[in-house]
Amino acid sequence: REIIWQPPLLNWIKCNIDGASSGNLGNASCGGVFRDHNADFVYAFADPLGFASSYFAELCGAMRAIEIAYEKNWLNIWLETDSSLVVAAFKNPTKPVAWPLRNRWRNVLFMMNSMNCFVTHIYREGNKVADLIANHGLTLSSFISWNTAPLFIADCLFSNKLGMPNFRLCSS
């Protein structure tokens, strides 16, 4: 199956997010990359989370992306993740999330009320830039952000911008 990353519409910002965990409970981090309608890099972040599950890392990445967008007054946000559980959490926001995240989750939902925001799923093959950033977060001791694209994601960013496909093996 062909997987192609798609840029957002004009006046929208798309953020691909991912979580990483070395073991499902293990050292964890999250990361995200914001791009505009031309598929140009806008901003990225990586955040080490300590000992956590994969789902915790994925949800933290989504929440951090919304917090950053809100802080930067980016009101038209397309959040894309390879976690179907994160997509489900945003589709049913009244369903409780893990206790340690509950206040933050409620704050993020409040922020989203003043934004145009939707959350979609992409297969991991189309989420490589966010995956690289989240895995880089495993090597960090504190939050980091970039206003210009770090070199370690340059090739993947360029491939996405050109509309080059990635392939997912599926059984027939």
Side-chain angles (χ1 to χ4, degrees):
R1 183 172 186 169
E2 194 175 73
I3 310 296
I4 300 174
W5 181 88
Q6 297 293 324
L9 295 172
L10 183 66
N11 298 319
W12 280 75
I13 299 283
K14 183 176 186 181
C15 184
N16 285 81
I17 62 102
D18 200 12
S21 178
S22 50
N24 197 16
L25 282 179
N27 184 36
S29 66
C30 62
V33 57
F34 293 84
R35 290 176 274 187
D36 67 15
H37 67 280
N38 290 318
D40 289 330
F41 179 92
V42 176
Y43 185 84
F45 69 92
D47 194 7
L49 302 169
F51 198 73
S53 70
S54 302
Y55 175 63
F56 185 94
E58 299 271 0
L59 193 56
C60 283
M63 291 188 298
R64 176 70 83 169
I66 297 298
E67 292 162 350
I68 289 167
Y70 185 83
E71 176 184 300
K72 294 185 174 289
N73 206 32
W74 297 334
L75 301 180
N76 297 320
I77 292 294
W78 175 4
L79 192 64
E80 191 168 60
T81 176
D82 57 19
S83 170
S84 54
L85 292 174
V86 169
V87 174
F90 280 96
K91 289 203 184 311
N92 189 1
T94 58
K95 189 174 178 183
V97 298
W99 182 253
L101 296 176
R102 198 141 313 154
N103 280 344
R104 186 176 182 193
W105 176 248
R106 287 185 184 132
N107 288 337
V108 163
L109 294 176
F110 176 79
M111 290 174 198
M112 288 176 66
N113 284 332
S114 63
M115 304 166 81
N116 296 312
C117 182
F118 64 98
V119 182
T120 60
H121 180 267
I122 188 168
Y123 290 113
R124 75 174 63 99
E125 292 81 0
N127 206 32
K128 286 184 178 180
V129 178
D131 178 72
L132 285 170
I133 294 169
N135 279 292
H136 181 75
L138 293 172
T139 69
L140 302 174
S141 58
S142 63
F143 177 86
I144 188 170
S145 63
W146 297 271
N147 291 310
T148 57
L151 283 177
F152 69 91
I153 63 170
D155 289 346
C156 279
L157 281 173
F158 188 63
S159 293
N160 284 172
K161 187 173 176 79
L162 292 177
M164 296 178 71
N166 291 290
F167 295 95
R168 180 175 181 84
L169 296 176
C170 301
S171 57
S172 52

